[in-house]
Amino acid sequence: MRDIQQQVRHQQRVEELCAASIRALSGQADLHFRGHHLHRGRKPLPLYAPHLHPDIERDDFLTFRGAADGLALRLTHSDAALHRALSPSEPVQSLVFDLLEQIRVESLADPAMPGLRENLAHSFEAWSLAFVASGLADTSHGILLFCVTQMCRARVLLSPVPHAIEDLLESTRAGIGPVIGRDMHALRVTRFDQQAYAQHARNIALQVAQMMAASADEESRERLTAQAQEDIERAAFRLVMQVGKDMPEQLPSVVTGRSRLFETSPDGYRIFTQAYDREVRAQNLARLGELVQLREQLDQHIAAQHINFPRLARALKSLLAQPQREGWDTALEEGLVDGRRLAQLISSPTERRLFKLERQTPVANTVVSLLIDCSGSMREHQPSVAMLADSLVRALELAEVPSEVLGFTTGGWQGGRAQRDWLRAGRPPHPGRLNELCHIVFKDVRTSWRQARTAMAALLKGDLFRESIDGEAVDWACARLHRREEPRKLLIVISDGCPMDGATSLANDAFYLDNHLQQVVQRHERDSSIEIFALGVGLDLSPYYSRSQALDLSASAGNALFAEVIQLLGRRMRA
């Protein structure tokens, strides 16, 4: 598990570097990776060609750089609207057409950038070898699509086919060369004109689709219904994209999808009843003696981490504070000329203290809210999460940054009293949220860390952890922040997965709460008055949050863990 979590963080770092490269080459500042998928703002971009999606477990960084360069060229040299208008609708033809368009834009790479060309060649060769190693080239459809891709790229870019696969292609290349040869030659000639190039690419795509159809058994094809034929075509599409990662999640990430009920409901997100929802103080959830014992456990865990609190506070202050003018320092030997002291040059020609500098003091006009997922799956992470929250609050106080710590769970399992009322009402369809909320205040902004120490220990009280309804919790935390006067407001969500409430999922559909969380986060990110960050406990939360960091609490400890938090807070938002 630790190795997989490290891969998550490694992939995030690689994606950040690749996104920076794509932005620099394409000139588009709003490009970023989210959920391992390139987005422009909040809109996901198409998958494009299969060789643009390397595998973090299989490929080296140069392969990722080549894929990033290929994506940048696609965004720079291809008219997306024209490509969509000219693209065939049939799946196999559309795949081949898209591959050929990617080959065209890669042929337009600037000759003055040889490193970029080397990256492209390295990435494509790595994909080619992985395709062969996977066994996909052993099938008739696989070798046909693979051979067409290799032949067209070699012709358009005037680059040789990788030596390791030349023999594999020989017999197939001899058979299809006469069929697509004329159009393949025209691809090189028309590569600077996307529309003219597209006509020949469509011809090649049509020929490939016809050859794939002809390779099927004639008698079997006659028995196929139209729907079954379409399934075969889509299977052929997935055949090539299998190596190109048609977005499978090989790294741990939240699993989300579409809620048709949420999308089609005229009322949007619904709540069956709020009669049992409550907001409580953590110190009221346990006996004082129990909290004192839990606090001793938490202090021991924190002491074992050897956290350098002064250094952490300085890092937070430098990150969150803004310079504020506090007058001038005068009589200096360098800086700005102080006009009031120029007269001294007459009386004392050797006087050098004629300069001044503006005095600025960093002031953190910022408020930070920590929102902690208190669902049942977070129990195993209780000590580490409590240590993280308590230490952050302590360091923020040293940095003179006000903060609060909030938690969210439910009042019962499987719906509690809310589900009981729904059953008594005759189970009306699509009731919406079907559980009682329990929002916990471990520390509010007005309470100092020292005063809240005992209440913070309730983070170790296991029976508080039930189910989670994240969307309403984010709304609640943001509403509290909106009431603050500080100009900069930060919300840090600490969670280990997606919303989970069994009663709501059974009475509605599987992704009802997920889609609500996505809607809530996007609304607040568009508003931009609150900066939202997410710390994923062993998981990638980027499908929900634009700025997220996967934490391996079992491997990272002490100062190394907080360095990752600082890195996240320093990450700029991609709107």
Side-chain angles (χ1 to χ4, degrees):
M1 181 64 179
R2 179 178 299 180
D3 291 341
I4 297 178
Q5 291 169 344
Q6 290 174 345
Q7 289 172 11
V8 175
R9 292 182 294 156
H10 176 56
Q11 172 131 5
Q12 287 181 331
R13 288 192 289 268
V14 169
E15 288 175 351
E16 288 172 15
L17 292 171
C18 289
S21 175
I22 296 170
R23 291 192 294 269
L25 289 171
S26 66
Q28 300 182 29
D30 56 348
L31 297 171
H32 64 284
F33 281 93
R34 185 170 183 173
H36 314 314
H37 192 179
L38 186 64
H39 283 62
R40 180 185 288 117
R42 293 182 176 84
K43 181 180 180 181
L45 295 176
L47 284 172
Y48 300 128
H51 65 279
L52 300 182
H53 307 278
D55 188 321
I56 195 69
E57 294 182 345
R58 183 192 69 222
D59 296 309
D60 57 17
F61 181 68
L62 190 58
T63 303
F64 278 86
R65 277 299 311 270
D69 292 340
L71 288 167
L73 291 171
R74 183 63 173 263
L75 296 170
T76 304
H77 295 296
S78 181
D79 184 330
L82 178 61
H83 180 76
R84 286 194 301 270
L86 298 175
S87 179
S89 58
E90 189 270 334
V92 174
Q93 293 185 45
S94 176
L95 170 65
V96 176
F97 184 78
D98 195 73
L99 278 165
L100 295 178
E101 175 62 9
Q102 183 62 35
I103 289 172
R104 184 185 76 85
V105 300
E106 291 183 12
S107 74
L108 303 180
D110 189 346
M113 302 178 72
L116 184 145
R117 288 174 170 263
E118 290 177 6
N119 292 343
L120 293 172
H122 179 87
S123 182
F124 184 79
E125 182 172 355
W127 172 80
S128 300
L129 296 176
F131 188 101
V132 174
S134 70
L136 294 175
D138 296 338
T139 67
S140 59
H141 289 175
I143 190 61
L144 175 60
L145 290 168
F146 186 61
C147 186
V148 168
T149 302
Q150 297 291 336
M151 291 173 63
C152 291
R153 191 177 192 278
R155 179 62 187 173
V156 177
L157 274 70
L158 298 181
S159 60
V161 171
H163 178 73
I165 62 174
E166 275 190 307
D167 293 342
L168 176 67
L169 302 179
E170 191 59 37
S171 59
T172 307
R173 180 163 49 187
I176 65 176
V179 180
I180 65 172
R182 179 176 299 179
D183 286 303
M184 188 170 63
H185 174 76
L187 293 179
R188 171 72 185 177
V189 178
T190 60
R191 63 196 177 99
F192 294 101
D193 184 340
Q194 182 177 348
Q195 187 161 3
Y197 180 96
Q199 300 306 315
H200 301 287
R202 284 177 62 96
N203 292 340
I204 293 175
L206 176 61
Q207 292 290 343
V208 171
Q210 290 176 346
M211 284 187 281
M212 289 180 66
S215 67
D217 179 75
E218 185 69 26
E219 183 178 350
S220 298
R221 277 194 295 112
E222 290 177 357
R223 292 196 300 267
L224 289 175
T225 64
Q227 181 62 45
Q229 182 65 32
E230 182 179 348
D231 290 342
I232 284 182
E233 293 168 348
R234 293 187 181 277
F237 177 79
R238 290 192 296 271
L239 180 69
V240 173
M241 293 305 292
Q242 180 178 337
V243 174
K245 285 187 72 177
D246 191 8
M247 298 312 293
E249 296 295 347
Q250 296 186 11
L251 298 174
S253 178
V254 292
V255 178
T256 186
R258 294 177 56 189
S259 168
R260 296 192 179 276
L261 176 61
F262 185 83
E263 292 176 352
T264 58
S265 173
D267 303 326
Y269 181 70
R270 300 177 61 187
I271 301 170
F272 182 71
T273 179
Q274 294 178 299
Y276 308 107
D277 296 350
R278 57 180 180 148
E279 178 182 315
V280 295
R281 294 274 175 176
Q283 60 264 34
N284 298 329
L285 296 175
R287 294 178 294 102
L288 178 59
E290 182 182 8
L291 289 177
V292 170
Q293 290 180 352
L294 294 175
R295 183 68 227 186
E296 292 176 356
Q297 296 176 23
L298 180 55
D299 286 339
Q300 292 173 4
H301 188 64
I302 293 174
Q305 306 302 312
H306 305 292
I307 300 168
N308 189 330
F309 284 102
R311 186 174 70 179
L312 177 58
R314 288 193 298 271
L316 288 168
K317 189 164 187 175
S318 65
L319 188 67
L320 302 177
Q322 297 292 330
Q324 182 170 302
R325 296 179 178 179
E326 288 193 349
W328 295 84
D329 290 325
T330 59
L332 302 176
E333 294 188 359
E334 60 181 11
L336 302 175
V337 174
D338 188 350
R340 294 174 300 178
R341 301 181 65 87
L342 290 177
Q344 293 184 6
L345 283 175
I346 300 173
S347 59
S348 302
T350 59
E351 178 62 59
R352 296 181 179 180
R353 294 172 297 173
L354 306 174
F355 301 92
K356 64 178 181 178
L357 284 175
E358 188 174 33
R359 186 167 60 249
Q360 295 184 337
T361 301
V363 177
N365 290 323
T366 304
V367 59
V368 176
S369 177
L370 301 181
L371 179 63
I372 300 174
D373 175 7
C374 294
S375 61
S377 59
M378 286 284 283
R379 284 181 184 170
E380 62 177 298
H381 308 295
Q382 280 178 279
S384 297
V385 171
M387 178 275 296
L388 174 64
D390 190 86
S391 301
L392 269 179
V393 168
R394 181 177 173 183
L396 286 167
E397 188 166 297
L398 290 174
E400 301 178 335
V401 177
S403 64
E404 67 178 359
V405 180
L406 309 174
F408 62 97
T409 182
T410 57
W413 290 97
Q414 295 294 325
R417 291 169 290 182
Q419 191 200 36
R420 179 199 64 190
D421 289 356
W422 175 69
L423 294 173
R424 288 175 176 175
R427 303 181 183 230
H430 312 316
R433 190 253 291 174
L434 200 60
N435 206 330
E436 46 190 276
L437 299 184
C438 180
H439 290 162
I440 306 172
V441 180
F442 294 96
K443 174 193 175 300
D444 61 28
V445 177
R446 293 182 298 273
T447 305
S448 69
W449 167 77
R450 188 170 299 278
Q451 293 172 322
R453 287 180 74 253
T454 303
M456 290 279 291
L459 282 166
L460 296 179
K461 185 173 170 57
D463 57 4
L464 297 182
F465 291 68
R466 298 185 184 92
E467 298 185 272
S468 62
I469 300 173
D470 300 48
E472 291 188 66
V474 171
D475 259 339
W476 169 60
C478 287
R480 292 177 63 94
L481 285 173
H482 277 303
R483 294 195 289 268
R484 298 292 303 175
E485 296 180 354
E486 289 83 0
R488 189 179 182 195
K489 303 174 176 65
L490 276 63
L491 173 63
I492 303 174
V493 182
I494 304 176
S495 176
D496 71 339
C498 53
M500 177 54 64
D501 175 52
T504 301
S505 297
L506 289 173
N508 298 275
D509 60 20
F511 297 111
Y512 187 77
L513 294 175
D514 292 59
N515 286 193
H516 178 241
L517 173 60
Q518 290 173 328
Q519 182 193 67
V520 168
V521 173
Q522 289 176 10
R523 170 162 41 84
H524 288 292
E525 288 181 346
R526 283 195 303 268
D527 177 57
S528 73
S529 60
I530 297 175
E531 301 171 50
I532 301 179
F533 302 86
L535 295 172
V537 181
L539 278 176
D540 174 18
L541 298 180
S542 59
Y544 299 131
Y545 303 92
S546 293
R547 287 173 291 193
S548 67
Q549 180 83 12
L551 295 181
D552 182 2
L553 296 180
S554 63
S556 300
N559 299 308
L561 176 63
F562 290 101
E564 294 191 53
V565 177
I566 294 294
Q567 179 186 11
L568 171 65
L569 297 181
R571 191 176 304 169
R572 208 157 59 88
M573 168 76 168
R574 298 291 167 191

